[in-house]
Each structure stands twice: as C-alpha cells, then as structure tokens.
Amino acid sequence: MGKVGGFLELEAVAANKRPVAERLGDWQEFETLPNEATLAEQGARCIDCGIPFCNTGCPLGNLIPDWNDGVYRGDWRAAWESLEATNNFPEITGRICPAPCEAACVVAIDDDAVTIKNLERAVADRAAEEGWLAPQPASRPTGKTVAIVGSGPAGLAAAQQLARVGHAVTVFERDDRVGGLLTHGIPDFKLDKTLVERREAQLRAEGVSFRVGVEVGREISVATLQSDFDALLIATGARNPRDLVVPGRELGGIHFAMDYLTAQNRANAAHSRVPGRYCAKERRVVVVGGGDTGSDCVGTARRQGAESVINLEIVPEPPAERDASTPWPHWPLLLRTSSSHEEGCERLFAMSTERFVGAAGQVERLCCVGVEPDPGGGFRRIAGSEHEIEADLVLLALGFGHDSEAGWLGELGVALDGRGNVAVDAATMATNIPGVFAAGDRQRGQSLVVWAIADGRRAAAGIDAHLMGETT
C-alpha cells in the first residue's frame, strides 16, 4: 500500500485555506485541495502497516489503505470503488468529519498522519466530476415498504441502502428541505449545500420518495406509519439545544446557536438577508460553548461583520500535544484551532457564565467566573476570579439533547435507555417494537456525521433482514 518508505521521504501536506480576508467576504467553502501530483504523494505516505488501525478508527470501517493506494497509483476509479463500498456520502465526511481515522493512523505514532480526510474528499470530488455518481436503482422491487422519519445522514444512508436492494422507501422530513443539520445547521463555508442536493437527486433517481414539511404526530399519525409500511426507522436526530439557566436568560439578544446558524443558512438559500435579530454586524458577540457548533457560530459572526467575537469554554485549555491520558490510537484531547478561530476570535477557557445583565430588555454583558475541575465531579468557582464581558449578542452552543418527539415516540411505545436515547439492539438497530428501528443521534445521542452514516447502514441491514429473512 502506497510507496515503500514514502512516509519517510514525503511530508504531510494539508489542504489549502483561502486567505482570511478573502473568505470572510463570502459564504463559499474555505478550503481547497492540493493538486493531483501532491495528492498522489500524500497517498504514497500510506504504509503497509499490517494492521490498518485507520480502519478501526473510522466508524464506517472505511478501506482507507486501498483508496490511498489508488490515488498514489493514479487509479482514481479503483480508489472510488473502495471508498464507495463503505461510505454513502464521502464528499460530506471528507469535508466535515474530524477524522478519527487520522488519529489512529500508524504513521501518526511518530509523525504527521496520512492526510486521509483530504484524500477521501479528493476521490469523492473526482467521482462527481467523472460521472461515477450515477444512480444505482434496484434491478427488481421486493414489494416491501419502509418509512424513515428524518432526512439527516443516518436517514439518508439507510434510505439509499434499502432502495438499492429494492425496497420502496419514503422519507418523512418536518423541515422544508432534505438533509437535517447538513442543510440547516452546518454553515455553507464548511459544506456547500449543492452536495446535499446532488445526493438527494441521486436518491430520488434510485426510487426514494421524500415528503418534506411533514411532521409525525401532526400531518401523519404513528398509526398510519405502522399500518402503511412494513418497517419504520426513527432517525430524527438530537436537535434540542441545552440551555443556560441563569439570571437574565430572558433578555433579548441571547439565542441558541442552531437557531442562529439555521437563520443564516436559510438566508443564503433564499439569497436574502438574515433576520436582524440574528445578525452580528457591528455587535459584540459572545459564543458560550466550544466544539464544532461554537466554532461555526464564530465563523458566521465574523462573516456577518461582528465588531468582536469571544468564545467561552468551561473546560480548561487542552494540551497542545497528545497527552498520556489519550494514547495512540485513541482520539487525543488536544487544543484544536478551527478555521473559524483563525478568522478572529478571543478564546477564554475555564470560564463559567453566572448571569446576564442588560437594560431595556436587551443583554449588555455577561457576569463570569473562573472555574476548575472539581475532584467530586463538575467544576468549582475560583474565588476572586469574577469579571464581566460586554456583549450585544450571545449565542449558546452547549450541545444538544433530544427533541420534542417524545409524544409520538411514547405513542409508538419504544423503550428509552438511561440517557433518553431510543434503546436498540446493537447489531440490528431494532427497538423493542417489532418492525421499528432507530439510527443516528436519536439512538446514540449527539455525535458525528460519520457515526450517523454508520448507524444508518447498520439499521438498513437490520431492516432488510427483518423484511427478507436475510440480508446481503
């Protein structure tokens, strides 16, 4: 796999980032790939390591050495066939996945990992350019019907797998567009929405039906789903934002991060202006909470023309190098600086917001205190560390729980685990109700897109076996 000794001769080359001043002027993707010759060299750095830990680091079990080798040898079609075998949407994961495969790369023990994520994106983009993304409809129908509730990555991956073996699949989506958080939550500068639209068109050509603007429990009943379909997949995600319940929370100018991001995405899609209450132009913005969602808020605020952006995190600043507590091949706890942070942001760690203060119903500042981990759990205040931060717009990016679908899920009778997730059999993704399955964040809890795709594929196999007695 790759060039013998290639990792000793060749250095890792990251993707190219557009200049900050340039990318802040639009909503286009901020990153571009190296040229084909450089990509071939990056594939050459993949070694015949015997046990490719990248495979197990990836929730999808992607055949990473195979398509790295294909790029190295210039056999892009073979690389695509290896990539497509395990991943329904590599052009998406190649852009927004944090790449746990690279953390598990054997080369990463002593050197920079193979640039797996960039190679994945390059192969997927090449497949689109060459026309290899042609629909793959089933040769004959099975006569079985499947309803999927939710059109995020778990629902879409399951829909594609099931349609390709001949089942009649209908996807129900309560929003007006397909894609879940891929469409409504992730900013355009990280994921061009034409990629989602292209996959939607492919799925439609493969026989998948989409019913958007349909909320289960309102426009269609649980009883109808159970009577009209042979199997049901719950893939509704985890979109209920965690709140910060402190004095002053009711003040204007304090919003959930996903409401803020969705408003901008909708404005971009409609080629219109974002609603004023969600616009950061000339405002002092504070994003409470780190992670990808907080970072996305930072990048969005900077593109809207914020006067300043501060990002607060309650956890201590992570180490710059891999710590002994997360040894290879585990995902390392590191200080990660996103492209959005690079665009202009002050990051404050070990900080907790205790109350909001404002005038005339609008937030004006946050009252914060420094914290440190409490050996008994959680965090404790550091005496004498109280201070205030001025803010006109506060965005809460504190993670997500489960949505308000508990009503219809309760009517369905599915069992929940101790965290409120839909409980499933890990091998088949089947719930306690015969013919009902669950996948993605609604079953796992808030997680990665790559995990959602993996769960959707596993659920599709479970549904196929349930309907047909066996599955390929």
Side-chain angles (χ1 to χ4, degrees):
M1 292 298 173
K3 180 181 180 182
V4 175
F7 73 101
L8 297 172
E9 303 172 16
L10 303 165
E11 296 183 354
V13 177
N16 306 308
K17 294 180 182 177
R18 297 165 57 206
V20 171
E22 174 187 311
R23 67 190 195 230
L24 287 182
D26 59 44
W27 297 94
Q28 305 303 310
E29 290 185 348
F30 71 91
E31 210 168 45
T32 60
L33 292 175
N35 60 38
E36 187 169 330
T38 301
L39 289 169
E41 290 183 346
Q42 295 309 290
R45 296 185 70 244
C46 186
I47 64 175
D48 188 4
C49 55
I51 300 176
F53 283 84
C54 55
N55 288 153
T56 53
C58 173
L60 284 163
N62 278 337
L63 307 176
I64 294 166
D66 297 59
W67 38 267
N68 283 348
D69 186 65
V71 174
Y72 163 55
R73 300 184 184 282
D75 191 345
W76 288 83
R77 185 59 187 257
W80 167 244
E81 290 172 355
S82 296
L83 177 55
E84 186 188 31
T86 57
N87 189 347
N88 296 77
F89 314 121
E91 71 278 15
I92 293 175
T93 52
R95 285 168 165 80
I96 63 174
C97 184
C101 54
E102 293 186 12
C105 174
V106 173
V107 179
I109 297 175
D110 294 308
D111 198 354
D112 292 329
V114 175
T115 55
I116 298 169
K117 180 178 174 180
N118 289 341
L119 291 166
E120 177 181 19
R121 174 181 170 180
V123 172
D125 288 356
R126 180 67 171 264
E129 294 168 5
E130 299 289 347
W132 300 335
L133 286 182
Q136 301 177 38
S139 58
R140 62 180 181 271
T142 64
K144 302 294 184 179
T145 58
V146 182
I148 297 177
V149 183
S151 69
L156 293 180
Q160 184 161 69
Q161 296 294 99
L162 291 165
R164 286 180 172 181
V165 297
H167 301 312
V169 180
T170 302
V171 178
F172 295 89
E173 171 56 57
R174 67 180 181 179
D175 285 323
D176 59 342
R177 290 189 294 161
V178 168
L181 292 185
L182 298 177
T183 297
H184 299 286
I186 298 173
D188 290 356
F189 58 81
K190 287 177 61 177
L191 180 65
D192 189 321
K193 299 304 177 282
T194 60
L195 300 176
V196 182
E197 294 165 359
R198 185 171 67 199
R199 283 296 186 175
E200 178 188 351
Q202 183 192 43
L203 266 68
R204 288 184 184 275
E206 292 173 346
V208 177
S209 297
F210 289 94
R211 293 184 59 185
V212 298
V214 176
E215 185 171 353
V216 175
R218 289 194 171 196
E219 286 78 16
I220 189 169
S221 68
V222 171
T224 299
L225 291 178
Q226 289 185 291
S227 65
D228 290 359
F229 294 90
D230 297 312
L232 169 63
L233 175 63
I234 304 166
T236 50
R239 293 176 59 175
N240 193 38
R242 295 193 177 98
D243 207 347
L244 183 59
V245 184
V246 298
R249 172 63 181 86
E250 73 285 352
L251 290 169
I254 304 172
H255 304 287
F256 289 120
M258 198 52 62
D259 293 340
Y260 173 72
L261 295 173
T262 298
Q264 183 62 65
N265 278 350
R266 288 187 181 280
N268 289 349
H271 304 287
S272 62
R273 292 186 178 182
V274 67
R277 64 196 296 257
Y278 291 121
C279 187
K281 185 176 183 179
E282 299 179 351
R283 298 168 83 175
R284 299 163 298 178
V285 179
V286 175
V287 180
V288 183
D292 289 338
T293 303
S295 169
D296 292 347
C297 288
V298 171
T300 299
R302 291 288 289 121
R303 282 163 177 76
Q304 290 179 347
E307 177 183 317
S308 63
V309 183
I310 296 176
N311 191 190
L312 302 183
E313 297 200 45
I314 197 169
V315 298
E317 183 172 338
E321 303 291 337
R322 184 189 283 269
D323 188 77
S325 63
T326 54
W328 178 90
H330 295 287
W331 178 253
L333 176 64
L334 295 172
L335 176 63
R336 303 177 192 278
T337 301
S338 72
S339 62
S340 293
H341 293 141
E342 295 171 350
E343 291 164 359
C345 167
E346 181 181 2
R347 304 174 72 182
L348 301 177
F349 293 92
M351 197 71 60
S352 177
T353 301
E354 295 196 315
R355 66 182 183 277
F356 299 107
V357 178
Q362 292 293 311
V363 68
E364 292 183 339
R365 59 188 184 277
L366 292 72
C367 298
C368 303
V369 63
V371 295
E372 60 186 3
D374 189 327
F379 298 89
R380 61 189 179 192
R381 303 172 85 256
I382 299 175
S385 64
E386 298 85 356
H387 67 284
E388 296 185 347
I389 299 175
E390 294 184 339
D392 308 304
L393 177 63
V394 178
L395 304 171
L396 304 180
L398 303 171
F400 301 88
H402 292 305
D403 229 328
S404 56
E405 300 119 345
W408 71 266
L409 288 183
E411 182 181 346
L412 192 58
V414 293
L416 305 180
D417 65 17
R419 298 173 56 220
N421 303 323
V422 175
V424 299
D425 177 272
T428 65
M429 311 301 276
T431 70
N432 61 306
I433 305 300
V436 179
F437 298 75
D441 289 0
R442 194 61 187 87
Q443 157 270 321
R444 175 178 296 278
Q446 181 191 0
S447 189
L448 305 176
V449 167
V450 68
W451 269 115
I453 297 172
D455 290 343
R457 292 173 66 91
R458 191 178 302 115
I463 292 170
D464 189 36
H466 168 75
L467 296 176
M468 307 302 291
E470 60 182 4
T471 182
T472 55

